[in-house]
């Protein structure tokens, strides 16, 4: 999956009529400061790099229904009572320092704490680390047989058993001091992976660094086994510091090429027996994926399998009986006739505490994603309307809590809702956050305690982020945990931009945009415009989160209007909009950015001779496709780590939207950046890529460069040696500085 930066095919035969500009809806965020003085300093590029306006959150980990752990700014770990607010030191900062720990994990019985150190990044989610175990009763570290360079480690949900993955094999320990049991022996680098996902599953299916799951009572460990022996390798050069560069090889299935195979097993710590959980025949007969693994109860496991086309998903539950896992009565098939199932990979079911039934998010008959209740062979939707449920937060014995964008009919807002459970019936929904600090807080989420009595409410904007502890039983605020008052004081002296939201009509759809406007914006003046684009399937750039980033600098200091538009293909507004891109990436999402730019110009305050576009990853692809369309709207653009051709990208992501090349060759052929190279003669183009990008390979930018050279196009390029898709470290400051210079030259 591509990344969207923090701050926030116009094919010859696919052109459509220009959209109608219907109405503008202005929604101004909470003002951070008011102009009480004649002049304030602007928000500079150095402010962005230095974190001058960095927001604070509040870290907590619930350990019971009324207790949580909080790590202080000084580095000590405190156990805090939610009801009283009283706390005590759980672990001193000096203990963290002794092993240079970057993280911690406390055993369920609170007898041990495991410290993580020696972090070594692998891919987006995966890393290796050393694990040191501290005995909280003896107040000292203990010697263990846990090796270094562990790929994953997890405590059991009860007691203090451990499971870990080392050298692609699964191990289990009954206690921290007992000898480990080796569960698997066939792990092999880039061949067989047990308990951790391979590259494509990590990136596109699980979005985690693990494929290992403890049962609630700690008896069973489920784990996935991935076989990459038939997957083709991607190779790239690692320059390093040595006399000769090295070559990195990763099994990486590209569109239409062989995928990894997967099996699911369960290890019984009581008997040391391992049993396979079999894929159902309707999916297992062909190529398929393991999508999610969820323990419903101590002896019931729920698994989602899906066909390679990703429009057919089976949710199966398996019960433990006679030392085997057999299919139980709860079974559901989820399909899509208009695209793929889910937003990305399928949503995970959330079970009632007894494991007999579960809640799920799926498209209803009107093709909006809603909350559904699954019992063994039936389903009933608990929500409905032209809006969407975005996540299920918590299910207790008496309530289900979820997030949706129902309130104010605004797709870019988020609020927390509660539905009371009464047996198999459910109450009407109740919004817990819609009226709380309504101007400041339009984008909310929550983190619930173990039984749901308390929750951390996190308000992410449009005003300054606010984190409060609340009681779900009576709806009261217990206390404010972080209000970002220090940041409010800092911003009083800075001329900050404002944000405008509105909609444009394209065909039958009202589609949302946002504009970041310079301080003291004057609609009678003309401003340069930068389109900040992502535009991938199910993306959303127009929302109500508070952000400070590169766009803040551009609007405040350079007086550039930075706009984003969620065209066809974007998410959280129903499948009809999102699935418009099905089988045709590089078409409508590209056209809609051009159409939106034209209508922004028609608003009267945009300098039509100074219009640019930029994006990262999928946004870099759309930027390049827009510039290659030859529309005459854009003077310049910047593409960071772009795709150039969908056959070069991974199978799970690409085929979800495009099927395989053999099934959809014409649209693969017509959606390449390289095919539009000649149109770049009339724009200024900056192409940026990291040479060690394991996700969107440097191959993609190299092919764009080759095509542009073949057409004798003059363009700018910047590569970053040994940097991956995120361009971290010193490369991050360098790329934003470089793009700032490029943009100022374009607008000069």
């Amino acid at each position: 999956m591509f990344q969207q930066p923090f701050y926030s095919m116009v094919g010859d035969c696919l052109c459509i009529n220009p959209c109608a500009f219907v109405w503008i809806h202005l929604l101004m965020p909470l003002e951070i400061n008011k102009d009480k003085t004649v002049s304030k300093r602007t928000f500079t590029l150095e402010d962005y790099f230095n974190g001058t306006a960095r927001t604070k959150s509040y870290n907590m980990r619930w350990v019971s229904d009324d207790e949580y752990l909080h790590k202080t700014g000084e580095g000590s770990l405190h156990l805090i009572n939610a009801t009283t607010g009283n706390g005590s030191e759980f672990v001193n900062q000096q203990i963290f320092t002794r092993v240079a720990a970057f993280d911690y994990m406390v055993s369920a019985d609170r007898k041990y704490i495991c410290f993580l150190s020696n972090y070594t990044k692998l891919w987006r989610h995966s890393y290796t680390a050393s694990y040191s175990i501290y005995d909280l009763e003896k107040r000292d570290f203990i010697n263990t047989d846990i090796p270094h360079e562990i790929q994953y480690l997890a405590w059991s949900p009860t007691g203090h058993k451990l499971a870990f993955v080392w050298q692609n094999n699964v191990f289990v320990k009954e206690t921290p001091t007992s000898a480990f049991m080796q569960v698997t022996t066939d792990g092999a680098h880039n061949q067989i992976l047990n308990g951790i996902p391979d590259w494509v599953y990590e990136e596109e299916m699980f979005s985690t660094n693990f494929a290992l799951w403890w049962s609630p009572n700690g008896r069973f460990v489920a784990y996935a086994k991935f076989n990459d022996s038939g997957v083709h390798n991607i190779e790239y050069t690692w320059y390093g510091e040595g006399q000769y560069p090295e070559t990195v090889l990763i099994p990486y299935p590209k569109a239409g090429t062989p995928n990894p195979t997967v099996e699911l097993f369960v290890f019984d710590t009581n008997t040391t027996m391992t049993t396979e959980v079999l894929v159902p025949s309707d999916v297992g007969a062909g190529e398929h994926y393991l999508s999610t693994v969820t323990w419903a109860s101590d002896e019931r496991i729920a698994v989602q399998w899906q066909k390679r086309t990703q429009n057919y998903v089976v949710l199966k539950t398996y019960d433990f009986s006679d030392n085997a896992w057999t299919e139980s009565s709860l079974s559901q098939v989820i399909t899509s006739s208009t695209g793929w199932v889910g937003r990305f990979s399928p949503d995970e079911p959330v079970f009632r505490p007894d494991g007999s039934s579960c809640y799920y998010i799926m498209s209803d008959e009107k093709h909006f994603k809603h909350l559904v209740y699954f019992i063994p062979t039936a389903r009933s939707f608990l929500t409905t309307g032209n809006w969407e449920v975005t996540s299920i937060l918590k299910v207790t014995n008496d309530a289900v809590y979820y997030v949706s964008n129902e309130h104010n009919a605004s797709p870019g807002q988020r609020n927390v809702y509660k539905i009371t459970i009464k047996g198999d019936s459910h109450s009407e929904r109740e919004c817990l956050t819609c009226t709380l600090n309504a101007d400041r807080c339009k984008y909310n989420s929550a983190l619930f305690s173990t039984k749901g009595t308390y929750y951390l409410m996190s308000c992410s904007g449009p005003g300054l982020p606010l984190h409060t502890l609340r009681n779900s039983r009576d709806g009261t605020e217990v206390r404010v945990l972080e209000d970002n008052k220090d940041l409010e004081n800092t911003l009083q002296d800075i001329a900050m931009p404002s944000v405008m939201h509105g909609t444009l009509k394209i065909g039958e759809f009202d589609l949302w945009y946002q504009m970041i406007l310079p301080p003291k914006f004057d609609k009678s003046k003309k401003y340069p415009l930068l389109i900040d684009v992502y535009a991938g399937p199910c993306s959303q750039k127009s929302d109500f989160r508070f952000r400070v980033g590169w766009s803040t600098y551009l609007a405040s200091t350079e007086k550039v209007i930075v706009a984003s538009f969620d065209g066809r293909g974007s998410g959280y507004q129903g499948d009809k909009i999102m699935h418009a891109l099905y089988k045709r990436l590089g078409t409508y999402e590209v056209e809609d950015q051009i159409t939106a730019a034209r209508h922004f110009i028609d608003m009267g305050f945009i300098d039509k001779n100074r219009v640019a576009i930029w994006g990262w990853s999928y946004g870099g692809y759309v930027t390049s496709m827009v510039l290659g369309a030859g529309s005459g709207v854009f003077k310049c653009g910047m593409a960071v780590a772009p795709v150039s051709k969908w056959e070069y990208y991974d199978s799970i992501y690409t085929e979800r939207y495009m099927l395989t090349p053999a099934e959809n060759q014409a649209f693969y052929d017509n959606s390449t950046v390289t095919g539009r190279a000649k149109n770049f003669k009339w724009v200024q183009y900056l192409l940026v890529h990291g040479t060690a990008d394991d996700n969107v390979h440097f191959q993609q930018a190299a092919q764009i460069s080759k095509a542009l050279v073949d057409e004798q196009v003059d363009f700018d390029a910047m590569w970053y040696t040994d940097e991956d898709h995120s361009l971290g470290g010193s490369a991050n400051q360098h790329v934003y500085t470089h793009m700032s210079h490029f943009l100022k030259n374009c607008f000069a």
Side-chain angles (χ1 to χ4, degrees):
M1 187 186 304
F2 300 115
Q3 72 176 30
Q4 297 190 53
F6 162 73
Y7 45 89
S8 65
M9 157 174 102
V10 188
D12 294 338
C13 62
L14 292 170
C15 292
I16 59 171
N17 292 327
C19 72
F21 176 58
V22 175
W23 60 287
I24 300 176
H25 187 122
L26 299 181
L27 289 168
M28 305 305 294
L30 177 73
E31 292 187 51
I32 304 305
N33 53 57
K34 294 182 172 64
D35 286 325
K36 297 179 181 178
T37 58
V38 176
S39 64
K40 298 180 179 182
R41 75 173 186 85
T42 63
F43 185 86
T44 66
L45 191 58
E46 288 69 31
D47 284 324
Y48 170 48
F49 294 143
N50 295 336
T52 300
R54 185 176 292 121
T55 60
K56 292 180 182 177
S57 58
Y58 186 84
N59 73 82
M60 67 153 55
R61 299 183 187 180
W62 290 105
V63 293
S64 71
D65 196 42
D66 62 356
E67 295 170 296
Y68 63 86
L69 291 168
H70 169 70
K71 194 175 182 185
T72 67
E74 293 73 34
S76 293
L77 191 62
H78 285 217
L79 180 66
I80 298 177
N81 183 285
T83 306
T84 65
N86 296 331
S88 60
E89 187 175 79
F90 192 71
V91 175
N92 187 273
Q93 178 270 338
Q94 294 177 350
I95 308 299
F96 282 84
T97 303
R98 280 176 59 183
V99 290
F102 67 87
D103 202 359
Y104 70 94
M105 300 184 302
V106 179
S107 65
D109 58 11
R110 303 189 205 176
K111 291 184 177 180
Y112 301 94
I113 183 165
C114 187
F115 292 96
L116 288 69
S117 55
N118 298 321
Y119 174 92
T120 303
K121 182 182 186 296
L122 185 57
W123 312 130
R124 188 192 298 268
H125 306 284
S126 56
Y127 59 89
T128 61
S130 300
Y131 291 78
S132 306
I133 297 181
Y134 185 81
D135 187 320
L136 286 163
E137 182 179 346
K138 296 179 179 177
R139 312 304 291 180
D140 201 1
F141 286 96
I142 61 176
N143 293 321
T144 73
D145 56 1
I146 299 173
H148 293 292
E149 298 184 349
I150 293 295
Q151 293 160 297
Y152 178 68
L153 183 146
W155 290 109
S156 56
T158 59
H160 49 253
K161 293 180 182 179
L162 285 163
F164 63 89
V165 180
W166 178 60
Q167 294 184 349
N168 303 294
N169 281 313
V170 175
F171 299 80
V172 169
K173 289 170 68 68
E174 283 291 324
T175 71
T177 56
S178 64
F180 61 63
M181 294 181 284
Q182 185 163 353
V183 178
T184 66
T185 58
D186 57 352
H189 178 64
N190 280 352
Q191 296 288 313
I192 304 294
L193 297 88
N194 294 290
I196 56 170
D198 71 344
W199 189 95
V200 74
Y201 265 87
E202 174 184 334
E203 178 69 19
E204 306 294 5
M205 191 64 73
F206 293 169
S207 297
T208 64
N209 66 328
F210 63 89
L212 179 154
W213 306 268
W214 277 104
S215 64
N217 62 357
R219 175 178 174 180
F220 300 105
V221 178
Y223 66 92
K225 172 183 175 179
F226 300 93
N227 188 331
D228 279 24
S229 59
V231 178
H232 299 167
N233 291 328
I234 182 68
E235 300 181 17
Y236 58 82
T237 298
W238 181 265
Y239 295 94
E241 302 294 334
Q243 186 177 16
Y244 290 89
E246 299 175 11
T247 299
V248 177
L249 285 80
I250 311 169
Y252 183 109
K254 299 201 174 197
T257 69
N259 265 334
T261 59
V262 61
E263 298 169 285
L264 181 64
F265 297 94
V266 177
F267 175 73
D268 186 342
T269 63
N270 286 0
T271 65
T272 70
M273 290 179 57
T274 299
T275 309
E276 184 174 3
V277 179
L278 297 174
V279 59
S281 58
D282 55 340
V283 173
E287 291 192 77
H288 59 273
Y289 297 115
L290 171 68
S291 300
T292 66
V293 177
T294 309
W295 283 97
S297 63
D298 290 341
E299 296 188 349
R300 171 173 285 187
I301 191 169
V303 185
Q304 286 189 93
W305 310 87
Q306 66 180 137
K307 294 182 179 180
R308 182 164 179 166
T309 53
Q310 299 181 64
N311 60 6
Y312 186 98
V313 175
V314 177
L315 170 61
K316 286 285 185 185
T317 55
Y318 303 80
D319 289 341
F320 186 65
S321 177
D322 296 327
N323 292 320
W325 294 91
T326 57
E327 292 184 13
S328 65
S329 57
L330 200 161
S331 176
Q332 296 283 341
V333 175
I334 304 102
T335 62
S336 174
S337 60
T338 60
W340 58 96
V341 171
R343 293 192 171 94
F344 300 102
S345 55
D347 285 288
E348 190 164 351
V350 183
F351 281 79
R352 285 194 183 182
D354 65 4
S356 63
S357 57
C358 67
Y359 299 86
Y360 192 78
I361 297 172
M362 63 178 285
S363 298
D364 65 5
E365 60 183 10
K366 295 182 179 178
H367 302 289
F368 286 86
K369 300 202 183 299
H370 280 287
L371 184 66
V372 64
Y373 177 52
F374 286 160
I375 55 177
T377 55
R379 62 180 65 166
S380 57
F381 279 95
L382 304 183
T383 60
T384 184
N386 294 345
W387 46 272
E388 295 203 336
V389 173
T390 61
S391 62
I392 302 171
L393 298 174
K394 186 75 174 179
V395 174
T396 66
N397 283 317
D398 56 10
V400 53
Y401 301 90
Y402 68 89
V403 175
S404 86
N405 59 6
E406 174 184 9
H407 190 57
N408 291 331
S410 179
Q413 297 191 21
R414 300 286 188 275
N415 278 287
V416 179
Y417 290 78
K418 175 183 180 180
I419 292 178
T420 300
I421 298 171
K422 300 174 181 176
D424 282 333
S425 64
H426 298 80
S427 71
E428 290 297 312
R429 59 190 176 274
E430 170 195 358
C431 187
L432 302 183
T433 58
C434 292
T435 59
L436 300 177
N437 298 291
D439 290 332
R440 179 176 182 174
C441 297
K442 300 179 188 296
Y443 202 101
N444 303 295
S445 188
L447 178 66
F448 284 85
S449 60
T450 56
K451 295 183 180 179
T453 299
Y454 296 96
Y455 63 95
L456 167 68
M457 176 187 161
S458 293
C459 150
S460 300
L464 291 175
L466 175 65
H467 303 275
T468 56
L469 184 66
R470 303 189 66 85
N471 187 314
S472 69
R473 309 302 184 196
D474 58 20
T476 59
E477 179 179 290
V478 179
R479 70 186 64 87
V480 175
L481 300 173
E482 177 57 63
D483 60 6
N484 277 285
K485 193 70 177 178
D486 291 343
L487 177 56
E488 181 180 4
N489 294 333
T490 298
L491 296 181
Q492 294 294 335
D493 300 322
I494 301 175
M496 295 292 285
S498 57
V499 182
M500 176 174 76
H501 291 87
T503 61
L504 301 176
K505 186 86 168 181
I506 294 186
E508 62 183 295
F509 304 124
D510 293 317
L511 299 169
W512 284 79
Y513 68 84
Q514 73 176 30
M515 282 185 174
I516 302 174
L517 304 173
K520 298 182 179 179
F521 169 73
D522 183 348
K523 65 180 180 180
S524 68
K525 294 181 178 179
K526 299 285 188 180
Y527 295 88
L529 171 68
L530 174 65
I531 301 291
D532 175 3
V533 65
Y534 187 74
C538 197
S539 60
Q540 185 175 62
K541 292 281 280 187
S542 176
D543 63 27
F544 288 81
R545 284 183 282 186
F546 176 84
R547 291 184 180 88
V548 174
W550 188 52
S551 297
T552 313
Y553 148 70
L554 291 174
S556 179
T557 296
E558 306 300 341
K559 305 300 182 282
V560 174
I561 291 177
V562 182
S564 294
F565 178 64
D566 291 328
R568 285 170 291 180
S570 56
Y572 312 101
Q573 306 156 88
D575 291 347
K576 200 166 187 181
I577 291 174
M578 186 171 74
H579 287 171
L581 297 184
Y582 190 51
K583 302 181 188 178
R584 53 181 65 213
L585 296 183
T587 58
Y588 299 135
E589 80 275 37
V590 176
E591 295 175 13
D592 290 353
Q593 297 301 316
I594 298 170
T595 302
R598 287 188 171 124
H599 283 287
F600 295 153
I601 293 169
D602 290 343
M603 290 178 180
F605 48 79
I606 299 297
D607 182 348
K608 66 178 182 181
N609 296 315
R610 294 191 293 166
V611 178
I613 184 170
W614 97 280
W616 196 307
S617 201
Y618 200 107
Y621 167 70
V622 173
T623 292
S624 303
M625 293 291 283
V626 164
L627 294 176
S631 67
V633 173
F634 296 90
K635 184 180 180 183
C636 65
M638 302 160 285
V640 183
V643 163
S644 63
K645 187 176 183 179
W646 286 110
E647 281 161 304
Y648 297 155
Y649 199 56
D650 78 62
S651 57
I652 296 182
Y653 183 95
T654 306
E655 294 171 16
R656 181 184 301 141
Y657 314 117
M658 290 284 278
L659 303 181
T660 64
E663 295 168 306
N664 193 22
Q665 193 64 59
F667 277 93
Y668 271 89
D669 292 342
N670 290 331
S671 59
T672 67
V673 174
T674 52
R676 300 181 172 205
K678 63 182 179 181
N679 287 334
F680 282 75
K681 291 180 180 178
W682 294 282
V683 295
Q684 298 172 37
Y685 182 54
L686 172 60
L687 175 62
V688 178
H689 219 112
T691 66
D693 192 332
D694 58 282
N695 185 348
V696 181
H697 305 137
F698 188 71
Q699 169 193 25
Q700 305 260 17
Q703 293 292 354
I704 295 175
S705 174
K706 180 181 178 181
L708 295 176
V709 170
D710 286 346
E711 292 291 342
Q712 296 301 303
V713 174
D714 190 16
F715 67 101
D716 291 336
M718 176 62 68
W719 73 86
Y720 289 94
T721 304
D722 293 343
E723 290 293 338
D724 65 14
H725 195 57
S726 63
L727 298 183
S730 60
N732 198 259
Q733 180 168 334
H734 191 278
V735 70
Y736 283 110
T737 302
H738 191 68
M739 289 194 298
S740 300
H741 294 159
F742 178 87
L743 190 64
K744 286 194 283 186
N745 288 335
C746 171
F747 286 163

